[in-house]
Amino acid sequence: MKASIKLFLIFVLLQLLGSLAAVPLVLVWQFVTTGTVDAEAADRAMLVPGSLLAMFFTVWYLWKRRYLDDYRQYAPTSAGYLTWTALLLLGAFVVMEWVMGLLSFLPDWMGDAFDQMRGQWGGILFISLLGPIVEELLFRGAITRELLRRYRPGAAIVLSAFFFGLAHFNPVQMVFAFVLGLLLGWMYWRTRSLMPCIVFHVLNNGLSTWLSLQYPDVESLRELWGADVHTAVLAGAFAVFLLALWQLSRYPATGDAGWLPSSKEKGNNKTMD
């Protein structure tokens, strides 16, 4: 648990470090290109470079601590498994969007920041692709893996989902992220591969981003489709979700064989603890 908490706190610290490191870069760029310094404009412009720098620092830390060395977790799963993973995401996306509509009283602290990021190609790339990949390297490839070595799978998956939800720092996202964290943690435990987790995460963020850009004035899928159609789609999505979950559970689990830490990893884990 200590290693997982440490990883989470380092992740938070690196987010702050990325934002701080972006300040002088943005100010210098602004001065070079405009000849002036506008604090308000600079503050808006720091979101994307700050996020990209935080991502770079996170990957660098994971690489230095050798969390990226175990190439077994990059092993591809079957095309069938990835197909059912995509269907699981589509079902979960519609169902959870409906659930989040019931929790609309939760505050959205970062709505404006995400809107600004979606207005830039760098922000779209980060939200839809780069961010999900790095989050999977950290939350499944490092934190969940550490927890699975120390706890039973159920406890490890719930704890990793809790960290994943908390890391979003936004009440309206935390519930959604926790549920997705449960699914992602379960898939990682079953396959010991990051590939289905990355596919699931990228599709979720990409679909959310595409809908927000394609229909900027629409608040919900119910508003987009209409009440009658949405009811039918919601029922169908729930059925697809359950079917995909059942199909994925039928695939042979990798299990813990071959996933106990090696002597090199044990030495590294001691330094982490």
Side-chain angles (χ1 to χ4, degrees):
M1 175 64 85
K2 287 179 5 181
S4 300
I5 294 175
K6 182 177 180 180
L7 282 165
F8 175 78
L9 293 177
I10 288 173
F11 169 75
V12 175
L13 179 62
L14 293 179
Q15 304 309 299
L16 297 174
L17 182 61
S19 297
L20 291 174
V23 173
L25 297 178
V26 171
L27 291 176
V28 169
W29 175 257
Q30 187 183 68
F31 182 77
V32 169
T33 56
T34 67
T36 61
V37 173
D38 185 333
E40 185 176 348
D43 183 60
R44 293 194 301 269
M46 278 188 286
L47 284 171
V48 173
S51 298
L52 292 173
L53 284 171
M55 178 192 70
F56 171 79
F57 294 148
T58 301
V59 172
W60 176 82
Y61 178 82
L62 292 173
W63 175 71
K64 290 292 289 184
R65 302 304 299 179
R66 305 187 66 179
Y67 281 105
L68 305 183
D69 287 0
D70 196 335
Y71 298 106
R72 290 169 295 183
Q73 64 182 350
Y74 309 121
T77 52
S78 68
Y81 194 94
L82 292 180
T83 300
W84 284 112
T85 296
L87 291 173
L88 182 72
L89 176 276
L90 292 175
F93 186 91
V94 175
V95 173
M96 283 305 299
E97 195 273 343
W98 173 74
V99 172
M100 294 310 298
L102 302 178
L103 302 176
S104 58
F105 57 86
L106 292 174
D108 185 2
W109 294 341
M110 300 178 66
D112 292 340
F114 277 108
D115 288 341
Q116 291 179 32
M117 291 188 72
R118 292 188 188 106
Q120 306 175 53
W121 281 109
I124 294 172
L125 180 64
F126 176 80
I127 294 173
S128 303
L129 181 63
L130 299 179
I133 292 174
V134 173
E135 286 183 359
E136 289 311 308
L137 292 175
L138 174 67
F139 286 97
R140 256 55 66 180
I143 291 178
T144 305
R145 185 170 65 173
E146 289 290 342
L147 289 168
L148 284 169
R149 285 171 175 164
R150 290 161 174 78
Y151 299 98
R152 293 186 177 184
I157 291 168
V158 171
L159 285 171
S160 68
F162 171 77
F163 284 125
F164 186 58
L166 193 62
H168 285 76
F169 312 115
N170 192 14
V172 75
Q173 290 181 282
M174 287 179 178
V175 176
F176 190 86
F178 175 77
V179 174
L180 293 192
L182 292 175
L183 294 173
L184 290 164
W186 176 74
M187 286 191 292
Y188 180 72
W189 167 63
R190 292 279 301 180
T191 65
R192 300 298 185 172
S193 172
L194 290 172
M195 292 302 104
C197 302
I198 289 173
V199 168
F200 187 100
H201 203 156
V202 168
L203 284 176
N204 176 75
N205 286 29
L207 181 57
S208 177
T209 300
W210 180 81
L211 285 171
S212 66
L213 293 175
Q214 191 73 15
Y215 306 101
D217 299 324
V218 175
E219 296 292 333
S220 67
L221 294 178
R222 181 186 179 91
E223 182 182 340
L224 177 63
W225 293 326
D228 293 337
V229 173
H230 185 257
T231 299
V233 172
L234 182 61
F238 189 67
V240 168
F241 172 79
L242 292 179
L243 177 61
L245 194 64
W246 177 67
Q247 287 288 348
L248 291 176
S249 69
R250 295 177 65 240
Y251 278 77
T254 300
D256 293 329
W259 276 82
L260 294 176
S262 64
S263 57
K264 181 189 296 185
E265 290 171 328
K266 285 181 179 178
N268 187 50
N269 288 337
K270 288 180 181 178
T271 64
M272 285 297 296
D273 288 339

